[in-house]
Amino acid sequence: MRKRVYLDYNASAPLRPEAGEYMTSLMGPARNPSSIHYFGRASKLILETARADLAELARGDASGFIFTSGGTEANNAALLGFEQVITSTVEHNAVLEARPDAQKIGVGNDGEINLSELESALRKAKKSGGEILVSVMLVNNETGRIQPIEKLLEICCSYNVAFHSDMVQALGKIPIKLDKWSRDGLAMASFSAHKIGGPPGVGALWIAPGRQMPKLIKGGGQESGRRSGTENIYGIAGFGAAAKAASNWQVHAKLWPKWRSEFILKLQQSCPDIVLTTKDAPCVNNTVSLLLPAVPAQIAVMSLDMDGFAISSGAACSSGKVQESHVIKSMGFGSLSSHVIRISFGWENTQDEISALADALIEIY
């Protein structure tokens, strides 16, 4: 068997060496950022340095970041305190399950949210009264589809409603402009450390300047009183180190469009019935979502794993089960939603590995 190749970055990226080394170097001394003695002040500096490094990568006000236990908690927190939530049918379950009462806007065959349907929903919601939130992810975790954030912000501003975006899959793959987007109406954005090479179990919710939110956890008043509890200093430090290391993401990402297009072309020349689910839609260039009409996703994932390639069938949040994708079903692929695989690569991969994956998939198909 050939060397194992990891191609499931959208599930979790490998820990960046910079993050692992930095976290290890901090272990030993007491680490409570709330203490006022030397050890507390040193820990506070670690915390605020991580906040600044994340702010630099996401181009947003550092004081707006609340550290959480992950992207799921950040999404859940963003949805608190709103009488009405409007979202899309292709959101992560961290949004869909957090607000089952939310109105869900459909998407087209290319995965883009139906903007006219959104406007119609907003007109109706405004008549009902109460505070309204629109929550739409910037990059879809299963397909890599980029939603038109500028158009979404323009619509939300015109109706004077708050807008939140799950940006977990966007950070380190496309430019994030929190400061600019907040001036256009962005209220909140969610992030996760392990998607950019930080440790699992830590994330962040960014809140625009002047925006108020309910207290997520009550207690000692940490995180400016918005999320009490002693901070996960090692995880947060790793998040910051990963963000700093990811600041040069464009150096590697400039190779991805070529790798992606050549991979798709090679597959379609040999297996023309394999379908790219997003076709010509704008997507992050590290992600390929493929519909395999003749092969169930579970067979493809297991067969490729035996060949040494780690890919997935979609979101990696279902206790390791291969299930039908609600995202792919929403895009109109119906019963074939259990025939979709996702390839997502990153900074440790090479063009030869992507080409070898294509060869293996062609042989299996």
Side-chain angles (χ1 to χ4, degrees):
M1 186 179 72
R2 62 170 61 91
K3 181 191 79 170
R4 290 203 169 272
V5 178
Y6 186 78
L7 293 162
D8 200 15
Y9 273 66
N10 286 15
S12 188
L15 185 69
R16 290 182 184 266
E18 298 91 338
E21 291 166 8
Y22 183 47
M23 287 189 291
T24 301
S25 73
L26 298 176
M27 294 181 179
R31 296 293 182 194
N32 190 332
S34 297
S35 299
I36 62 174
H37 49 58
Y38 166 82
F39 295 98
R41 296 195 306 273
S43 299
K44 183 70 171 178
L45 179 60
I46 293 166
L47 184 71
E48 296 310 322
T49 299
R51 214 185 302 272
D53 287 336
L54 181 55
E56 179 67 22
L57 180 60
R59 294 290 186 265
D61 177 52
S63 66
F65 286 98
I66 302 172
F67 289 112
T68 66
S69 65
T72 293
E73 184 189 330
N75 280 336
N76 274 249
L79 305 179
L80 294 173
F82 293 91
E83 284 81 8
Q84 298 187 68
V85 173
I86 300 173
T87 187
S88 83
T89 56
V90 296
E91 297 301 306
H92 193 281
N93 281 335
V95 168
L96 298 178
E97 295 292 330
R99 287 299 295 259
D101 61 326
Q103 181 168 354
K104 301 172 186 66
I105 307 301
V107 298
N109 294 115
D110 65 351
E112 180 171 301
I113 187 170
N114 187 319
L115 297 177
S116 60
E117 187 181 337
L118 173 61
E119 289 207 65
S120 178
L122 283 170
R123 284 194 294 270
K124 183 178 179 182
K126 292 294 283 187
K127 292 178 181 177
S128 300
E131 195 166 4
I132 302 165
L133 175 73
V134 173
S135 178
V136 178
M137 66 197 333
L138 180 52
V139 171
N140 187 271
N141 53 305
E142 295 190 32
T143 65
R145 187 25 159 122
I146 302 171
Q147 293 292 351
I149 188 168
E150 285 83 8
K151 292 180 182 177
L152 289 164
L153 287 169
E154 183 180 349
I155 291 170
C156 289
C157 274
S158 68
Y159 286 89
N160 193 29
V161 300
F163 181 76
H164 160 258
S165 185
D166 174 347
M167 298 187 183
V168 165
Q169 293 290 347
L171 191 66
K173 297 172 188 172
I174 60 174
I176 305 296
K177 309 170 186 176
L178 293 180
D179 281 341
K180 177 185 182 301
W181 292 337
S182 67
R183 290 192 293 270
D184 295 333
L186 177 68
M188 293 172 286
S190 303
F191 301 96
S192 179
H194 75 116
K195 305 298 187 182
I196 63 167
V202 60
L205 176 66
W206 185 80
I207 303 168
R211 179 84 199 175
Q212 300 299 313
M213 67 165 286
K215 290 183 179 181
L216 180 56
I217 299 176
K218 298 176 182 179
Q222 290 87 349
E223 294 300 284
S224 300
R226 295 177 290 195
R227 185 187 187 270
S228 292
T230 302
E231 295 90 345
N232 172 11
I233 193 73
Y234 302 123
I236 291 168
F239 195 178
K244 188 172 183 178
S247 63
N248 67 346
W249 64 269
Q250 289 170 307
V251 173
H252 200 72
K254 68 182 180 183
L255 305 171
W256 295 346
K258 181 174 183 288
W259 295 2
R260 187 176 187 270
S261 61
E262 290 183 356
F263 173 78
I264 294 166
L265 180 63
K266 189 173 187 178
L267 280 179
Q268 293 184 331
Q269 285 176 339
S270 298
C271 309
D273 59 329
I274 291 180
V275 177
L276 179 67
T277 61
T278 48
K279 298 179 182 177
D280 297 322
C283 294
V284 287
N285 286 307
N286 85 309
T287 305
V288 184
S289 172
L290 297 171
L291 183 66
L292 314 177
V295 179
Q298 184 167 355
I299 300 276
V301 171
M302 292 173 65
S303 298
L304 286 168
D305 186 49
M306 292 173 68
D307 274 351
F309 296 96
I311 68 161
S312 71
S313 62
C317 300
S318 302
S319 302
K321 299 176 183 177
V322 175
Q323 300 178 337
E324 282 193 342
S325 164
H326 72 277
V327 172
I328 301 303
K329 289 183 81 170
S330 296
M331 291 168 65
F333 291 103
S335 60
L336 289 176
S337 59
S338 60
H339 288 247
V340 176
I341 61 171
R342 178 189 68 187
I343 296 102
S344 50
F345 42 87
W347 62 86
E348 287 190 343
N349 294 124
T350 66
Q351 186 172 10
D352 287 344
E353 290 173 342
I354 309 301
S355 181
L357 173 66
D359 292 335
L361 183 53
I362 289 167
E363 184 177 351
I364 288 167
Y365 200 76

